[in-house]
Coordinates of all heavy atoms in Angstrom, one line a residue:
R87 N 6.9 -3.7 -35.9 CA 7.7 -2.8 -35.1 C 6.8 -2.0 -34.1 O 7.1 -1.9 -32.9 CB 8.5 -1.8 -36.0 CG 9.5 -1.0 -35.4 CD 10.4 -0.3 -36.3 NE 9.6 0.6 -37.2 CZ 9.6 0.5 -38.5 NH1 10.2 -0.5 -39.2 NH2 8.8 1.4 -39.2
Y88 N 5.7 -1.5 -34.6 CA 4.8 -0.8 -33.8 C 4.2 -1.6 -32.6 O 4.2 -1.2 -31.5 CB 3.6 -0.2 -34.6 CG 2.7 0.7 -33.9 CD1 2.9 2.1 -33.9 CD2 1.5 0.2 -33.2 CE1 2.0 2.9 -33.2 CE2 0.7 1.0 -32.5 CZ 0.9 2.4 -32.5 OH 0.1 3.3 -31.9
R89 N 3.8 -2.9 -33.0 CA 3.3 -3.8 -31.9 C 4.3 -4.1 -30.9 O 4.1 -4.2 -29.7 CB 2.7 -5.0 -32.6 CG 1.3 -4.8 -33.1 CD 0.6 -6.1 -33.4 NE 1.4 -7.1 -34.0 CZ 1.3 -7.5 -35.3 NH1 0.4 -6.9 -36.1 NH2 2.0 -8.4 -35.8
L90 N 5.6 -4.4 -31.4 CA 6.7 -4.7 -30.5 C 6.9 -3.6 -29.5 O 7.1 -3.8 -28.3 CB 7.9 -5.1 -31.3 CG 9.2 -5.5 -30.5 CD1 8.9 -6.8 -29.8 CD2 10.4 -5.5 -31.4
N91 N 7.0 -2.4 -30.0 CA 7.2 -1.2 -29.2 C 6.1 -0.9 -28.3 O 6.3 -0.6 -27.1 CB 7.5 0.1 -30.1 CG 8.9 0.1 -30.7 OD1 9.8 -0.5 -30.1 ND2 9.0 0.7 -31.8
M92 N 4.8 -1.1 -28.7 CA 3.7 -0.9 -27.9 C 3.7 -1.9 -26.7 O 3.4 -1.5 -25.5 CB 2.4 -1.1 -28.7 CG 1.1 -0.7 -27.9 SD 1.2 0.9 -27.1 CE 0.8 1.9 -28.5
D93 N 4.1 -3.1 -26.9 CA 4.2 -4.1 -25.8 C 5.2 -3.7 -24.8 O 5.0 -3.8 -23.6 CB 4.6 -5.5 -26.4 CG 3.4 -6.2 -27.1 OD1 2.3 -5.7 -27.0 OD2 3.7 -7.1 -27.9
K94 N 6.3 -3.1 -25.3 CA 7.4 -2.7 -24.4 C 6.9 -1.5 -23.5 O 7.1 -1.4 -22.3 CB 8.6 -2.2 -25.1 CG 9.4 -3.3 -25.8 CD 10.6 -2.8 -26.5 CE 11.5 -3.9 -27.0 NZ 12.7 -3.4 -27.6
I95 N 6.1 -0.6 -24.1 CA 5.6 0.5 -23.4 C 4.5 0.1 -22.4 O 4.6 0.5 -21.2 CB 5.0 1.6 -24.4 CG1 6.1 2.2 -25.2 CG2 4.2 2.6 -23.6 CD1 5.6 3.0 -26.4
K96 N 3.7 -0.8 -22.8 CA 2.6 -1.3 -21.9 C 3.2 -2.0 -20.7 O 2.5 -2.1 -19.6 CB 1.7 -2.3 -22.6 CG 0.7 -1.6 -23.5 CD -0.2 -2.6 -24.2 CE -1.2 -1.9 -25.2 NZ -2.0 -2.9 -25.9
S97 N 4.4 -2.6 -20.8 CA 5.0 -3.3 -19.7 C 5.2 -2.4 -18.5 O 5.3 -2.9 -17.3 CB 6.3 -4.0 -20.1 OG 7.3 -3.0 -20.2
G98 N 5.4 -1.1 -18.7 CA 5.7 -0.2 -17.7 C 7.1 -0.2 -17.2 O 7.5 0.5 -16.3
D99 N 7.9 -1.1 -17.8 CA 9.3 -1.2 -17.5 C 10.1 0.0 -18.0 O 10.1 0.2 -19.2 CB 9.9 -2.5 -18.0 CG 11.3 -2.8 -17.7 OD1 12.2 -1.8 -17.8 OD2 11.6 -3.9 -17.3
I100 N 10.7 0.8 -17.1 CA 11.4 2.0 -17.5 C 12.5 1.8 -18.5 O 12.7 2.6 -19.5 CB 11.9 2.8 -16.3 CG1 12.5 4.2 -16.7 CG2 13.0 2.0 -15.6 CD1 11.4 5.2 -16.9
Y101 N 13.2 0.6 -18.4 CA 14.3 0.3 -19.4 C 13.7 0.0 -20.8 O 14.3 0.4 -21.8 CB 15.1 -0.8 -18.8 CG 15.6 -0.6 -17.4 CD1 15.2 -1.5 -16.4 CD2 16.5 0.4 -17.1 CE1 15.6 -1.2 -15.1 CE2 16.9 0.7 -15.8 CZ 16.5 -0.2 -14.8 OH 16.9 0.0 -13.5
E102 N 12.6 -0.7 -20.8 CA 12.0 -1.0 -22.1 C 11.5 0.3 -22.8 O 11.6 0.5 -24.0 CB 10.8 -2.0 -21.9 CG 11.2 -3.3 -21.4 CD 11.8 -4.2 -22.5 OE1 12.0 -3.7 -23.7 OE2 12.2 -5.4 -22.2
I103 N 10.9 1.2 -22.0 CA 10.4 2.5 -22.5 C 11.6 3.3 -23.0 O 11.5 3.9 -24.1 CB 9.6 3.2 -21.4 CG1 8.3 2.5 -21.1 CG2 9.3 4.7 -21.9 CD1 7.5 2.9 -19.9
A104 N 12.7 3.3 -22.2 CA 13.9 4.0 -22.7 C 14.4 3.5 -24.0 O 14.9 4.2 -24.9 CB 15.0 3.9 -21.6
S105 N 14.4 2.1 -24.2 CA 14.9 1.5 -25.4 C 14.0 1.9 -26.6 O 14.4 2.2 -27.7 CB 15.0 0.0 -25.3 OG 13.8 -0.6 -25.4
V106 N 12.6 2.0 -26.3 CA 11.7 2.5 -27.4 C 12.0 3.9 -27.8 O 12.1 4.2 -29.0 CB 10.2 2.3 -26.9 CG1 9.3 3.0 -27.9 CG2 9.9 0.9 -26.8
V107 N 12.2 4.8 -26.8 CA 12.6 6.2 -27.0 C 13.8 6.3 -27.8 O 13.9 7.0 -28.9 CB 12.6 7.0 -25.7 CG1 13.2 8.4 -26.0 CG2 11.3 7.1 -25.1
R108 N 14.9 5.6 -27.4 CA 16.2 5.6 -28.1 C 16.0 5.1 -29.6 O 16.4 5.8 -30.5 CB 17.2 4.7 -27.4 CG 18.5 4.6 -28.1 CD 19.3 3.4 -27.6 NE 18.7 2.1 -27.9 CZ 18.6 1.1 -27.1 NH1 19.2 1.1 -26.0 NH2 18.0 0.0 -27.5
N109 N 15.4 3.9 -29.8 CA 15.3 3.4 -31.1 C 14.5 4.3 -32.0 O 14.8 4.5 -33.2 CB 14.6 2.0 -31.0 CG 15.6 0.9 -30.4 OD1 16.8 1.1 -30.4 ND2 15.0 -0.2 -30.0
L110 N 13.4 4.8 -31.5 CA 12.5 5.7 -32.4 C 13.2 7.0 -32.7 O 13.1 7.5 -33.8 CB 11.2 5.9 -31.8 CG 10.2 4.7 -31.8 CD1 8.9 5.0 -31.1 CD2 10.0 4.2 -33.2
M111 N 13.9 7.6 -31.7 CA 14.6 8.8 -31.9 C 15.8 8.6 -33.0 O 15.9 9.5 -33.9 CB 15.2 9.4 -30.6 CG 14.1 10.0 -29.8 SD 14.7 10.8 -28.2 CE 15.6 12.2 -28.9
I112 N 16.5 7.5 -32.9 CA 17.5 7.2 -33.9 C 16.9 7.0 -35.2 O 17.4 7.5 -36.2 CB 18.4 6.0 -33.4 CG1 19.2 6.4 -32.2 CG2 19.3 5.6 -34.5 CD1 19.9 5.2 -31.5
R113 N 15.8 6.2 -35.3 CA 15.1 5.9 -36.5 C 14.6 7.3 -37.2 O 14.7 7.4 -38.4 CB 14.0 5.0 -36.3 CG 13.3 4.6 -37.6 CD 12.3 3.5 -37.4 NE 11.8 3.0 -38.7 CZ 12.4 2.2 -39.5 NH1 13.5 1.6 -39.2 NH2 11.9 1.8 -40.7
D114 N 14.1 8.1 -36.3 CA 13.6 9.4 -36.8 C 14.7 10.2 -37.4 O 14.5 10.8 -38.5 CB 12.9 10.2 -35.7 CG 12.2 11.4 -36.1 OD1 11.7 11.4 -37.3 OD2 12.0 12.4 -35.3
A115 N 15.9 10.2 -36.8 CA 17.0 11.0 -37.3 C 17.5 10.4 -38.6 O 18.0 11.1 -39.5 CB 18.2 11.0 -36.3
E116 N 17.4 9.0 -38.8 CA 18.0 8.4 -39.9 C 17.0 8.4 -41.1 O 17.3 8.7 -42.2 CB 18.3 6.9 -39.6 CG 19.5 6.8 -38.7 CD 19.7 5.3 -38.2 OE1 18.8 4.4 -38.5 OE2 20.7 5.1 -37.5
K117 N 15.7 8.0 -40.8 CA 14.7 7.8 -41.9 C 13.4 8.6 -41.7 O 12.6 8.6 -42.6 CB 14.4 6.3 -42.0 CG 15.5 5.4 -42.3 CD 15.0 4.0 -42.3 CE 16.2 3.0 -42.5 NZ 15.9 1.6 -42.4
G118 N 13.2 9.1 -40.6 CA 11.9 9.7 -40.3 C 10.9 8.7 -39.8 O 11.2 7.5 -39.9
L119 N 9.9 9.2 -39.2 CA 8.9 8.3 -38.6 C 7.5 8.5 -39.2 O 7.2 9.6 -39.6 CB 8.7 8.5 -37.1 CG 10.0 8.2 -36.2 CD1 9.7 8.6 -34.8 CD2 10.3 6.7 -36.2
S120 N 6.7 7.4 -39.2 CA 5.3 7.6 -39.6 C 4.6 8.4 -38.5 O 5.1 8.5 -37.4 CB 4.7 6.2 -39.8 OG 4.6 5.6 -38.5
T121 N 3.4 8.8 -38.8 CA 2.6 9.6 -37.9 C 2.4 8.7 -36.6 O 2.5 9.2 -35.5 CB 1.2 10.0 -38.5 OG1 1.5 10.7 -39.7 CG2 0.4 10.8 -37.5
G122 N 2.0 7.5 -36.8 CA 1.8 6.6 -35.6 C 3.0 6.4 -34.8 O 2.9 6.4 -33.5
E123 N 4.2 6.2 -35.4 CA 5.4 6.0 -34.6 C 5.8 7.3 -34.0 O 6.4 7.3 -32.9 CB 6.5 5.5 -35.5 CG 6.4 4.0 -35.8 CD 7.5 3.4 -36.6 OE1 7.9 4.0 -37.6 OE2 8.0 2.3 -36.1
R124 N 5.6 8.5 -34.6 CA 5.9 9.8 -34.0 C 5.0 10.0 -32.8 O 5.5 10.4 -31.7 CB 5.7 10.9 -35.0 CG 6.0 12.3 -34.4 CD 6.1 13.4 -35.4 NE 7.0 13.1 -36.5 CZ 8.3 12.9 -36.5 NH1 9.0 13.1 -35.4 NH2 9.0 12.6 -37.6
K125 N 3.8 9.6 -32.8 CA 2.9 9.7 -31.7 C 3.3 8.8 -30.6 O 3.3 9.2 -29.4 CB 1.4 9.4 -32.1 CG 0.4 9.7 -31.1 CD -1.0 9.4 -31.7 CE -2.0 9.7 -30.6 NZ -3.4 9.3 -31.0
M126 N 3.8 7.6 -31.0 CA 4.3 6.6 -30.0 C 5.5 7.2 -29.3 O 5.7 7.1 -28.1 CB 4.6 5.3 -30.6 CG 5.2 4.3 -29.7 SD 5.6 2.7 -30.5 CE 4.0 2.0 -30.5
L127 N 6.4 7.7 -30.1 CA 7.7 8.3 -29.6 C 7.3 9.4 -28.5 O 7.9 9.5 -27.4 CB 8.6 8.9 -30.7 CG 9.8 9.7 -30.2 CD1 10.7 8.9 -29.3 CD2 10.5 10.3 -31.4
N128 N 6.4 10.3 -28.9 CA 6.0 11.4 -28.0 C 5.4 10.9 -26.7 O 5.8 11.3 -25.6 CB 5.1 12.4 -28.7 CG 5.7 13.1 -29.8 OD1 6.9 13.3 -29.8 ND2 4.9 13.6 -30.7
S129 N 4.6 9.9 -26.8 CA 4.0 9.3 -25.6 C 5.0 8.6 -24.7 O 5.0 8.8 -23.5 CB 2.9 8.3 -26.1 OG 2.4 7.6 -25.0
A130 N 5.9 7.8 -25.4 CA 6.9 7.1 -24.6 C 7.9 8.1 -23.9 O 8.3 7.9 -22.8 CB 7.7 6.1 -25.5
K131 N 8.2 9.1 -24.7 CA 9.2 10.1 -24.1 C 8.5 10.8 -23.0 O 9.2 11.1 -22.0 CB 9.6 11.1 -25.2 CG 10.8 11.9 -24.9 CD 11.3 12.7 -26.1 CE 12.5 13.5 -25.7 NZ 13.0 14.3 -26.8
Q132 N 7.2 11.1 -23.1 CA 6.5 11.8 -22.0 C 6.5 10.9 -20.7 O 6.7 11.4 -19.6 CB 5.0 12.0 -22.5 CG 4.1 12.6 -21.4 CD 3.9 14.1 -21.6 OE1 4.5 14.7 -22.5 NE2 3.1 14.7 -20.8
M133 N 6.3 9.6 -20.9 CA 6.3 8.7 -19.7 C 7.7 8.7 -19.1 O 7.9 8.7 -17.9 CB 6.0 7.3 -20.2 CG 4.5 7.1 -20.4 SD 4.2 5.4 -20.9 CE 3.5 5.6 -22.5
L134 N 8.8 8.6 -19.9 CA 10.1 8.6 -19.5 C 10.5 9.9 -18.7 O 11.0 9.9 -17.6 CB 11.1 8.4 -20.7 CG 12.6 8.2 -20.4 CD1 12.8 7.0 -19.5 CD2 13.3 8.1 -21.7
V135 N 10.1 11.0 -19.4 CA 10.4 12.3 -18.8 C 9.6 12.5 -17.4 O 10.2 13.0 -16.5 CB 9.9 13.5 -19.8 CG1 9.9 14.8 -19.1 CG2 10.9 13.5 -20.9
S136 N 8.4 12.1 -17.4 CA 7.6 12.2 -16.1 C 8.3 11.5 -14.9 O 8.3 12.0 -13.8 CB 6.2 11.8 -16.3 OG 6.0 10.4 -16.3
E137 N 8.8 10.3 -15.2 CA 9.5 9.6 -14.1 C 10.8 10.2 -13.8 O 11.2 10.3 -12.6 CB 9.6 8.1 -14.5 CG 10.2 7.3 -13.4 CD 10.0 5.8 -13.5 OE1 9.4 5.3 -14.4 OE2 10.4 5.1 -12.5
L138 N 11.6 10.6 -14.8 CA 12.9 11.2 -14.5 C 12.8 12.6 -13.8 O 13.6 12.9 -13.0 CB 13.7 11.3 -15.8 CG 14.2 10.0 -16.4 CD1 14.8 10.2 -17.8 CD2 15.1 9.3 -15.5
V139 N 11.7 13.3 -14.2 CA 11.5 14.6 -13.5 C 11.3 14.4 -12.0 O 12.0 15.1 -11.2 CB 10.2 15.3 -14.1 CG1 9.7 16.4 -13.1 CG2 10.6 15.9 -15.4
L140 N 10.5 13.4 -11.6 CA 10.3 13.1 -10.2 C 11.5 12.5 -9.5 O 11.9 12.8 -8.4 CB 9.1 12.2 -10.0 CG 7.7 12.9 -10.3 CD1 6.6 11.9 -10.1 CD2 7.5 14.1 -9.3
A141 N 12.2 11.6 -10.3 CA 13.3 10.8 -9.7 C 14.6 11.7 -9.5 O 15.3 11.6 -8.5 CB 13.7 9.6 -10.6
K142 N 14.8 12.6 -10.5 CA 16.0 13.5 -10.4 C 15.7 14.8 -9.7 O 16.6 15.5 -9.3 CB 16.5 13.7 -11.8 CG 17.2 12.5 -12.4 CD 17.9 12.8 -13.7 CE 19.1 13.5 -13.7 NZ 20.3 12.9 -13.0
G143 N 14.4 15.2 -9.6 CA 14.1 16.5 -9.0 C 14.5 17.7 -9.9 O 14.8 18.7 -9.4
I144 N 14.4 17.5 -11.2 CA 14.7 18.6 -12.1 C 13.5 18.8 -13.0 O 12.6 18.0 -13.1 CB 16.0 18.3 -13.0 CG1 15.8 17.0 -13.8 CG2 17.2 18.3 -12.1 CD1 17.0 16.7 -14.7
D145 N 13.5 19.9 -13.8 CA 12.3 20.3 -14.6 C 12.3 19.5 -15.9 O 13.3 18.9 -16.3 CB 12.2 21.8 -14.8 CG 13.2 22.4 -15.7 OD1 13.7 21.7 -16.6 OD2 13.5 23.6 -15.5
R146 N 11.2 19.7 -16.6 CA 10.9 18.9 -17.8 C 12.0 19.3 -18.9 O 12.5 18.4 -19.6 CB 9.5 19.3 -18.3 CG 9.2 18.6 -19.6 CD 7.9 19.2 -20.2 NE 7.5 18.4 -21.4 CZ 6.3 18.1 -21.7 NH1 5.3 18.5 -21.0 NH2 6.1 17.4 -22.8
Q147 N 12.3 20.5 -19.1 CA 13.2 21.0 -20.1 C 14.6 20.4 -19.9 O 15.2 19.8 -20.8 CB 13.3 22.5 -20.2 CG 14.1 23.0 -21.4 CD 13.5 22.5 -22.7 OE1 12.3 22.6 -23.0 NE2 14.4 21.9 -23.5
Q148 N 15.1 20.4 -18.6 CA 16.4 19.8 -18.3 C 16.4 18.3 -18.6 O 17.4 17.8 -19.1 CB 16.7 20.1 -16.8 CG 17.0 21.5 -16.5 CD 17.2 21.6 -15.0 OE1 16.2 21.4 -14.2 NE2 18.3 22.1 -14.5
T149 N 15.3 17.7 -18.2 CA 15.2 16.2 -18.4 C 15.2 15.9 -19.9 O 15.9 15.0 -20.3 CB 13.9 15.7 -17.8 OG1 13.9 16.1 -16.4 CG2 13.8 14.2 -17.9
E150 N 14.5 16.6 -20.7 CA 14.4 16.4 -22.2 C 15.8 16.6 -22.8 O 16.2 15.8 -23.7 CB 13.4 17.2 -22.8 CG 12.0 16.7 -22.5 CD 10.9 17.5 -23.3 OE1 11.2 18.4 -24.1 OE2 9.7 17.2 -23.0
T151 N 16.5 17.6 -22.3 CA 17.9 17.9 -22.8 C 18.8 16.7 -22.5 O 19.6 16.3 -23.3 CB 18.4 19.2 -22.2 OG1 17.5 20.3 -22.6 CG2 19.8 19.5 -22.7
L152 N 18.7 16.2 -21.2 CA 19.6 15.1 -20.8 C 19.3 13.9 -21.7 O 20.2 13.1 -22.1 CB 19.3 14.7 -19.4 CG 19.9 15.7 -18.3 CD1 19.5 15.3 -16.9 CD2 21.4 15.7 -18.4

Side-chain angles (χ1 to χ4, degrees):
R87 191 172 55 243
Y88 186 89
R89 280 199 313 258
L90 182 68
N91 283 332
M92 186 54 77
D93 288 343
K94 288 180 176 187
I95 292 169
K96 283 181 181 174
S97 75
D99 182 312
I100 188 80
Y101 308 116
E102 294 285 1
I103 293 169
S105 76
V106 169
V107 169
R108 177 197 64 219
N109 289 341
L110 288 178
M111 285 181 72
I112 293 171
R113 184 172 186 84
D114 190 26
E116 292 172 354
K117 300 178 183 175
L119 295 175
S120 67
T121 305
E123 283 184 312
R124 180 164 313 289
K125 191 174 175 189
M126 175 182 278
L127 171 58
N128 291 338
S129 175
K131 195 171 183 184
Q132 176 101 357
M133 286 181 242
L134 185 62
V135 167
S136 73
E137 185 160 2
L138 291 172
V139 161
L140 289 177
K142 289 184 77 60
I144 59 176
D145 70 28
R146 177 187 186 148
Q147 188 59 51
Q148 290 173 299
T149 304
E150 287 184 2
T151 300
L152 287 173

